Each structure stands twice: as C-alpha cells, then as structure tokens.
Amino acid sequence: MAELRGAGDEPDDGDASARRLAADAGDAAIEVRSRHEPSPRAEYADVLRQETAKPNAGQADASPIDTDQAGTTRETTDQTDAPSDGAPPEEAGQADAVSGGAHQIDSDQVGADQAETDRGTEASIADVLERFDPRRAGLPEVSREDAAAYIEEHMADRPWLALVRDCSPDAQRVFVALDQGHGHAHIRHDGWVTEEMNERRVKNLEDPAQLDLEKREARVDAFKTGNQPHWCGSIATRITNPEIFAAAFARGVEHLDVRTALDSKDPIPPGPVAVPISDVLGPDGHKFCSGSQLEPVDESMTKARSERDAWAAGSHSGPEPRIRPVETFEGGTVTFTFRPSPLGGYEVNTMYVNPPVI
C-alpha cells in the first residue's frame, strides 16, 4: 500500500525531516472508515456567498491575522464529526415573500435574483478549486484524471480518500496533491475522522491516522519512526466536509501571510500562521468546524493535560479525563504550519481549526 507521510502536529516537536512509515492496515483500514454527513455544494455556496461575492475573488486575501488569535497554535487539533450546532445553512434560492400592500416585493423576482446569486456563488467556489496550483503550495502537479485514478487505486488502504470519491474533480485534485506531499492535514483534520475517534484522541491519545487498531490503542503515532507515542493538546478539531476542506486549503494557500511562508527562502522553517476562519470559509464557515476538548481540572488546563497524559499511559490513580464538545468556532482561526518541500521552498505540514480565544 501507499506510505503514510507526514510529521508531528506540533511546530516544535523537533521532527524536521520527512516522516515515512508504512501503515500496517489490513482489515483495519476497512474498519476505521468513518461515517460522514455530506454537505451539498449548494449549501457551501450559501456559506461563502458574502465572501465570494467580493470583487477580485481570484486574488489572495491580504488582511493581517489577529495577533491574539495567532496564539491559538498552542494546541494540536484534529477533527470530529458534525458539530451539534453546525447544521448546514438553509437551502439557498428560497424566495422571501414580503407582504405590505403597495410595497409588496414580487416573490418571483426575489427568487430569480436569489437563483442568479447562487449561480454566481457556485461559479466562485468552482474557481477557488479550479485555480488551485499544487506547485505554488510545494506539492506535485496532479491532473484531474490522475487524481480520480489515484483515489480508486488507494482508497481501500487510505480511507480518508474514500470520502473524496464523490467530490468534484477539482476537490479530488487538491486531496491527491496533499496525499502525495508530506503533510497530514487531510489525514487528521478532515471529516473522515469520526467524533468517537476524535474524542479518543483527546482522552486516550489515540492517533486517528494510525490504521493498525492495536497500535492505535497502544498510542503509537502513525508518522513518527520507531513506534513513538502519539500526543495531542487539550483539543481536537476538524472541518467536517471534504469539499469544504479542499476549498479552505486552496483559499488558505492564497492568503498573503501563508504565501509569505510558503515562498520563504529562509532555511529555518517559518512559524505557524493563523488566519481567521471567515477568511477561508466565509462568514458562516465556522458552522462546518467541530471538535472535542478536555475539561479543565481545578480550573487548570495544564493540570488536565498532565492528568490525561498519566491516564493514557496507564496510571489510573487519578480521575478519568473528562471531555466536552467545542461550543463554537465563530471568531476562530485556521492555523497553518510548514515543512520543507522536496520541490523547493515549503509546503503545509498541517492545517487545523481553533475556536476563538476567550
């Protein structure tokens, strides 16, 4: 089967070289395939309506990141299933009939205007994915035809590809380019990871990218060499839909701050870059993010992590770790970390969402 390639989530984990570890999957690969709740492109169109309606949609967003939110890179994150409050927006195109005598709006005209807006937004979303250039992200070039063939060939032993089979050809191209790179955003931070897998990562330090179930339960990291233990912070999150994930990545690598990192000539890898979720997913994009987090112990997250680490290592002398869903991602960030690309420059090591700092 194809190799798992990537590095640790934490920017400072000291793992600067490419990780290559053959996944010992077998029947386990089938068993860990996730349940997934698809979100139609029309719903995503509604989410990105305001964002993609802006002029010069093809240009990179040059807005600076919030320096306070940039601090959210303190946590390693992974994604769960659909958020409890993350129901897709109401279906676009429905006419809003307004009554009021002489001021009554023609509902047919409203419907026609809404449909026209939807068509424009759909085109804008398609443009985000269509204009994606893997080489500018430090990734190998992939054609749409090759992407489809790659997914068919590898989705049985790389279950994160199975969900992409029903996505658009351009979204498939983004995923396959990522899969042929050395990052792991699409493996730990996309919607193929179920909520249970995500919860167990936070509570038991089980790596959802580890396809050997015995090794996963033993906390063996999927990417580090030598059966090293997996670790994550106090929170694990994801973007819940692969099509949206692909568009978020494609738009994210256009962002000025991310581009600066990718194009850096400095031999020292750039630091993490945090971009507002609304910049890459639109004003309602937070509804497509979900996650689980540790409960503080004695109002201390540091103590909660310490007790969780001891519990996961087999010391059950203390209380069992408690977790809870992330309440909201509104006002949160998407964090990008970087690693050297074999093609020159840098590529994205991982991309994950964080809730807002409160």
Side-chain angles (χ1 to χ4, degrees):
M1 62 169 286
E3 291 179 325
L4 290 187
R5 298 184 291 184
D9 282 342
E10 297 298 322
D12 58 351
D13 67 354
D15 187 12
S17 61
R19 302 295 189 188
R20 296 175 180 267
L21 174 64
D24 184 11
D27 294 337
I30 304 300
E31 188 171 348
V32 299
R33 288 186 184 179
S34 71
R35 299 177 301 276
H36 173 66
E37 51 293 318
S39 178
R41 288 172 61 82
E43 294 172 355
Y44 185 33
D46 189 53
V47 168
L48 290 183
R49 186 183 324 285
Q50 296 180 26
E51 182 71 14
T52 55
K54 295 178 181 178
N56 304 321
Q59 298 179 0
D61 187 342
S63 60
I65 62 172
D66 185 319
T67 55
D68 291 336
Q69 290 190 357
T72 59
T73 56
R74 69 200 182 286
E75 297 295 354
T76 297
T77 63
D78 242 355
Q79 285 80 340
T80 63
D81 252 351
S84 58
D85 60 344
E90 293 181 3
E91 185 167 349
Q94 183 175 356
D96 183 12
V98 180
S99 60
H103 301 287
Q104 182 173 352
I105 298 175
D106 187 329
S107 61
D108 291 339
Q109 183 60 46
V110 171
D113 291 345
Q114 183 68 72
E116 182 65 27
T117 300
D118 287 346
R119 284 193 292 271
T121 306
E122 278 282 340
S124 298
I125 295 167
D127 287 345
V128 170
L129 295 172
E130 183 177 5
R131 68 175 178 255
F132 173 68
D133 184 350
R135 294 165 298 183
R136 294 197 69 213
L139 299 170
E141 179 57 71
V142 179
S143 70
R144 294 168 182 81
E145 295 75 15
D146 287 345
Y150 181 94
I151 290 169
E152 288 296 324
E153 180 180 355
H154 295 292
M155 65 181 183
D157 55 4
R158 301 176 76 80
W160 45 88
L161 295 176
L163 294 180
V164 193
R165 185 183 187 186
D166 296 326
C167 288
S168 68
D170 286 319
Q172 292 179 348
R173 183 167 168 262
V174 173
F175 266 83
V176 171
L178 281 167
D179 207 54
Q180 293 186 351
H182 293 77
H184 64 259
H186 64 301
I187 301 176
R188 284 188 183 144
H189 305 280
D190 177 45
W192 87 276
V193 178
T194 67
E195 183 158 359
E196 180 183 0
M197 291 162 69
N198 216 35
E199 291 172 350
R200 292 181 69 87
R201 185 182 185 212
V202 175
K203 181 177 179 180
N204 301 328
L205 299 180
E206 295 182 7
D207 185 0
Q210 176 59 260
L211 300 184
D212 184 312
L213 297 185
E214 290 185 1
K215 290 184 177 181
R216 184 189 297 175
E217 291 179 359
R219 304 185 300 116
V220 175
D221 193 280
F223 301 113
K224 295 180 180 179
T225 58
N227 289 334
Q228 296 183 53
H230 179 65
W231 189 87
C232 80
S234 60
I235 185 170
T237 68
R238 71 166 188 167
I239 296 172
T240 60
N241 178 276
E243 188 94 17
I244 297 175
F245 179 95
F249 184 87
R251 182 165 294 187
V253 297
E254 293 177 348
H255 193 282
L256 178 61
D257 296 326
V258 178
R259 284 250 50 87
T260 300
L262 290 171
D263 295 337
S264 174
K265 304 300 182 183
D266 195 318
I268 300 176
V273 172
V275 177
I277 290 174
S278 58
D279 280 12
V280 294
L281 289 178
D284 293 324
H286 60 277
K287 295 179 180 178
F288 293 93
C289 304
S290 109
S292 297
Q293 60 188 3
L294 284 173
E295 291 270 15
V297 175
D298 297 334
E299 300 184 352
S300 170
M301 191 58 74
T302 299
K303 186 174 182 179
R305 284 196 297 266
S306 177
E307 292 189 358
R308 184 275 314 273
D309 293 350
W311 175 277
S315 174
H316 294 176
S317 58
E320 184 176 356
R322 297 178 61 184
I323 57 176
R324 65 185 179 192
V326 175
E327 292 183 3
T328 182
F329 286 85
E330 187 171 9
T333 56
V334 183
T335 295
F336 296 81
T337 68
F338 307 94
R339 61 177 299 108
S341 168
L343 304 180
Y346 291 91
E347 65 179 293
V348 172
N349 182 46
T350 192
M351 177 187 84
Y352 54 85
V353 292
N354 276 313
V357 177
I358 299 176

